[in-house]
Amino acid sequence: MKNTQAIAQVLAKKGLLLTATTALSLAAVTTFTHAPAHAFCIELPGLRLGCDGGTTPVTPPSAPKYSVTQKNPHTRSVVQRFGPVDKETATKKQQEFQRTHYAIFRYAGIGEQVHTRAFSSSYAAQNYLTSKGPCRDANAFGICVLDLQQVRPAIVEMTQVN
């Protein structure tokens, strides 16, 4: 008999506690629903409650994006542009672009233009000039005179887009 009376008392106390908690929760809800929107603002990771009058998901700030540009060292004109991408991908592309070298040459003569040609490495560009590549490109016999021969690396720039 004592056990059933003790259990009944515990249940009554828990029921009273539950009723009080429920009443306080309802009072808080009615108070906050009648308050202005700026009076109640809770920010949780990934969720904002009541900050702008409703529930809106928080958009995390986006990671900065980068763009990589390769330019001709003689004319400084843009040859290639890559991006916008994340920093790791942009760094890899920047290293790839930095390997590019240009053979810059001019045929001897009055009013001749400066020519450029891109190569994947400085060795390939220098080999093109030393093996008379521009002369072979100019005529079938490979006979010509060059008054300018240079190998220069490409101009590579990485910029943040955001």
Side-chain angles (χ1 to χ4, degrees):
M1 199 63 144
K2 284 187 176 183
N3 279 342
T4 56
Q5 286 178 347
I7 292 172
Q9 287 177 352
V10 170
L11 287 177
K13 287 181 185 178
K14 284 187 179 182
L16 183 62
L17 182 64
L18 183 62
T19 305
T21 306
T22 305
L24 286 174
S25 298
L26 287 173
V29 167
T30 56
T31 302
F32 288 129
T33 55
H34 295 297
H38 59 81
F40 175 67
C41 180
I42 296 176
E43 292 192 35
L44 300 171
L47 186 66
R48 295 177 69 192
L49 297 172
C51 297
D52 56 349
T55 304
T56 57
V58 174
T59 55
S62 61
K65 299 290 183 180
Y66 294 88
S67 177
V68 182
T69 305
Q70 178 185 11
K71 295 181 179 180
N72 183 318
H74 179 69
T75 62
R76 302 205 182 276
S77 62
V78 175
V79 177
Q80 292 185 57
R81 185 171 282 137
F82 183 77
V85 293
D86 59 274
K87 181 142 184 148
E88 182 180 337
T89 307
T91 304
K92 288 178 184 177
K93 198 62 165 180
Q94 180 185 24
Q95 291 170 351
E96 180 184 324
F97 282 173
Q98 286 174 339
R99 286 191 289 269
T100 303
H101 283 68
Y102 283 81
I104 301 171
F105 56 94
R106 179 176 54 214
Y107 300 107
I110 299 172
E112 287 291 332
Q113 301 268 333
V114 175
H115 301 276
T116 60
R117 186 165 172 189
F119 291 91
S120 60
S121 68
S122 62
Y123 175 77
Q126 187 62 48
N127 189 32
Y128 176 74
L129 293 175
T130 56
S131 68
K132 298 291 183 186
C135 293
R136 281 181 292 159
D137 292 345
N139 58 53
F141 301 109
I143 300 170
C144 74
V145 177
L146 300 173
D147 69 350
L148 172 69
Q149 295 183 57
Q150 301 180 344
V151 174
R152 291 177 41 199
I155 299 170
V156 180
E157 299 171 345
M158 182 165 59
T159 55
Q160 187 173 345
V161 177
N162 292 8

